[in-house]
Amino acid sequence: ASFVQDTFQASPKLTIDIGMRYELYSTVKPRYAAGASDYDPATNSLLVAGVGDVPLNNGVRLDTNNIAPRIGISYRFSDKSVVRGGYGISYYTGRYGFSGGTLCNQFPVVYNVQQGVANDYVVDGTFGSLPVITLQAVPSSGHITPAPNQAFFVIPQYNPIPYSQSFSVTFQRQLKPNLSFDVAYVGTLGRQQPFNRELNASVPGAGSAGLPLYVLFGRTASTTLRATGVNSNYNSLQSNLNRRFSNGLNFTIAYTYSRALDVGSDQPGFTDNLDLRRQYGPASFDRTHVLVASHTYETPFGRGKRFLSQGVAGKVLGGWQLNGVFSMATGTPLTASADSTPCNCPGNGNFADALSPITYLGNKGPGQLWLSPSAFGIPGANRFGNAGRGTIRGPGYRNYDFSLFRKFQVKERVTLETRVEAYNLTNTPRWGNPNTNVNSGSFGQITGTSGERQLQVAARILF
């Protein structure tokens, strides 16, 4: 990677930062020949890296278009008001971010054997009783015709590196010497994002005979495409009120109104692998409203403070610090699902049928309804339900964490600090999400909670 930047003062009030970054990531390849493989669904061949006509990187192309510009602007209207804005592109180089993806975690490098019944917790025998595995020799061509029931994944030859475009505009105003306020528009556009898609998925009503790779090659096993190419977006209004330490008090109040949309962040794969447009909807982490307020207060008593700087009362009342964080947010989106067996569409899941607008009853606990079940129904046989992704909202939450610190001056250079910390001080239940499978008898019910109050006591010595 290489990077160049410049910062210059265009005028007494205007400052501009500009930069350009270029990144180049080689495709993933094994250290030795036959150390990785990739399945080719067009020819029903397992391509073994570095053998025969198969290159060591399995033919995955190098992505050379990774240019990342940056710009930031700051303009001062006055000594108390400023506007800041910025835009930048960043590349994501995580597991699926590299052009080569992941090539090694399948046959012939990995050979899975299961003996006995899964999860039965019963000893099935000794290591000596394991079946003898005859490993398949790799032909000199580097192409293997696999068994029809052997699951594989596919890394496409062109797999661009995912990136995001981030941008923001912020107005900040000083209200008092220790009090400031800012409001911002913040957004992120995700491009060429990673996804998993089942290639061997049948249309509704066709059953196993309708699996596309079964029609071509008699293949019945799962064949997962690990690729990049879907998009996401996040837009938000963010505001913040901040009071810096004055007379022992510091607090921050932040509020965010936002909307996040993507393709399938709530699951490793897709419900409908035949139409990715149906998967576009609210992201699994989307919360429309988020409010966070934090505070720190030091009592004004004791040595060096405003009151009772001397005497027993100052020693007893001084040195205390009270801290807290209150957070509140609306619920995350959920999808009404249905059992996929009646759809007769192997490789896919299924959505529920949307029958009417959703009515939220707001009840929590077993036997109680969070939403009216009449809003959704079980789809008929041999078809997908018509409900969209992320149309239901789960419950929000409220939480207050509190801590109490006390400092004791043991010696001039030695201080003992004791802490009592309470997470979820009010012990307010954090309700789970409702059951969203319309085939379940508990559809629309919330039966779980988390976030019970936790207390801890600690001490540390500073010297």
Side-chain angles (χ1 to χ4, degrees):
S2 59
F3 181 79
V4 60
Q5 69 172 10
D6 189 21
T7 301
F8 62 96
Q9 195 80 27
S11 73
K13 294 185 176 182
L14 178 63
T15 303
I16 300 177
D17 292 282
I18 57 174
M20 181 69 72
R21 183 178 179 88
Y22 179 75
E23 302 178 356
L24 185 65
Y25 298 90
S26 64
T27 56
V28 173
K29 48 183 172 283
R31 186 174 183 181
Y32 303 108
S37 65
D38 193 13
Y39 178 72
D40 180 10
T43 61
N44 190 36
S45 297
L46 192 66
L47 308 180
V48 183
V51 179
D53 61 356
V54 183
L56 202 58
N57 65 356
N58 278 90
V60 177
R61 291 163 49 189
L62 180 67
D63 183 8
T64 59
N65 188 30
N66 305 320
I67 301 174
R70 312 286 172 87
I71 183 171
I73 298 175
S74 175
Y75 183 81
R76 290 189 303 114
F77 289 100
S78 67
D79 291 339
K80 295 184 178 181
S81 300
V82 63
V83 170
R84 297 182 177 91
Y87 170 85
I89 293 179
S90 300
Y91 288 87
Y92 167 71
T93 54
R95 179 178 181 187
Y96 299 122
F98 292 104
S99 299
T102 317
L103 291 174
C104 62
N105 297 326
Q106 59 184 351
F107 182 87
V109 180
V110 175
Y111 203 108
N112 298 319
V113 176
Q114 177 177 310
Q115 181 171 340
V117 180
N119 303 320
D120 64 355
Y121 298 101
V122 176
V123 176
D124 193 65
T126 66
F127 282 109
S129 65
L130 290 174
V132 176
I133 304 300
T134 302
L135 298 180
Q136 181 173 351
V138 178
S140 58
S141 65
H143 296 236
I144 297 176
T145 301
N149 61 348
Q150 176 73 52
F152 292 117
F153 56 79
V154 180
I155 303 296
Q157 290 195 341
Y158 181 60
N159 218 15
I161 294 179
Y163 66 94
S164 64
Q165 303 179 61
S166 301
F167 46 88
S168 66
V169 177
T170 304
F171 173 75
Q172 187 173 37
R173 171 74 177 178
Q174 181 180 353
L175 304 177
K176 293 182 178 181
N178 295 304
L179 186 65
S180 63
F181 171 78
D182 62 73
V183 60
Y185 169 63
V186 179
T188 300
L189 304 178
R191 295 295 180 260
Q192 303 292 354
Q193 300 299 295
F195 67 91
N196 290 340
R197 182 181 186 180
E198 176 59 59
L199 295 180
N200 206 17
S202 173
V203 298
S208 298
L211 296 173
L213 296 181
Y214 178 80
V215 174
L216 294 174
F217 310 113
R219 181 170 173 75
T220 58
S222 172
T223 306
T224 305
L225 175 66
R226 292 184 177 178
T228 61
V230 297
N231 297 331
S232 66
N233 67 79
Y234 170 82
N235 294 276
S236 68
L237 174 68
Q238 301 179 9
S239 59
N240 185 74
L241 181 66
N242 181 40
R243 187 184 192 277
R244 297 185 298 276
F245 258 113
S246 176
N247 296 323
L249 176 64
N250 174 74
F251 70 80
T252 299
I253 301 175
Y255 168 73
T256 300
Y257 174 74
S258 64
R259 179 73 161 171
L261 299 167
D262 64 12
V263 180
S265 62
D266 55 345
Q267 51 194 344
F270 298 129
T271 300
D272 181 356
N273 288 279
L274 308 177
D275 184 5
L276 296 192
R277 292 176 298 179
R278 291 202 63 186
Q279 306 297 139
Y280 187 74
S284 59
F285 54 84
D286 178 56
R287 295 185 185 273
T288 306
H289 304 281
V290 177
L291 174 68
V292 179
S294 62
H295 65 80
T296 299
Y297 180 68
E298 294 180 348
T299 57
F301 309 111
R303 187 172 64 176
K305 298 296 183 178
R306 185 176 180 182
F307 305 109
L308 303 177
S309 59
Q310 296 180 353
V312 177
K315 293 182 179 180
V316 174
L317 299 176
W320 293 93
Q321 181 176 307
L322 294 80
N323 315 285
V325 179
F326 172 77
S327 56
M328 181 171 62
T330 52
T332 54
L334 307 166
T335 301
S337 63
D339 290 349
S340 59
T341 301
C343 179
N344 197 19
C345 51
N348 296 299
N350 203 359
F351 296 97
D353 268 344
L355 305 178
S356 63
I358 301 174
T359 300
Y360 290 96
L361 306 176
N363 301 315
K364 309 176 186 72
Q368 306 295 316
L369 290 174
W370 169 254
L371 57 89
S372 174
S374 62
F376 297 96
I378 300 174
N382 301 324
R383 70 177 182 86
F384 288 124
N386 62 9
R389 173 174 166 258
T391 58
I392 300 174
R393 287 282 171 167
Y397 72 88
R398 296 189 304 275
N399 184 81
Y400 180 61
D401 297 333
F402 178 78
S403 62
L404 182 63
F405 294 3
R406 177 67 160 89
K407 294 181 179 180
F408 299 91
Q409 199 68 39
V410 181
K411 292 183 179 181
E412 182 178 357
R413 295 187 177 182
V414 179
T415 302
L416 172 65
E417 181 183 86
T418 59
R419 301 181 176 202
V420 178
E421 297 170 308
Y423 301 97
N424 190 8
L425 177 67
T426 59
N427 204 30
T428 302
R430 187 163 181 172
W431 293 96
N433 287 321
N435 187 324
T436 56
N437 188 307
V438 293
N439 292 97
S440 171
S442 59
F443 174 76
Q445 298 181 31
I446 297 176
T447 58
T449 61
S450 62
E452 64 278 0
R453 179 172 52 220
Q454 299 181 32
L455 301 174
Q456 71 178 29
V457 179
R460 66 174 185 166
I461 297 177
L462 295 86
F463 59 91

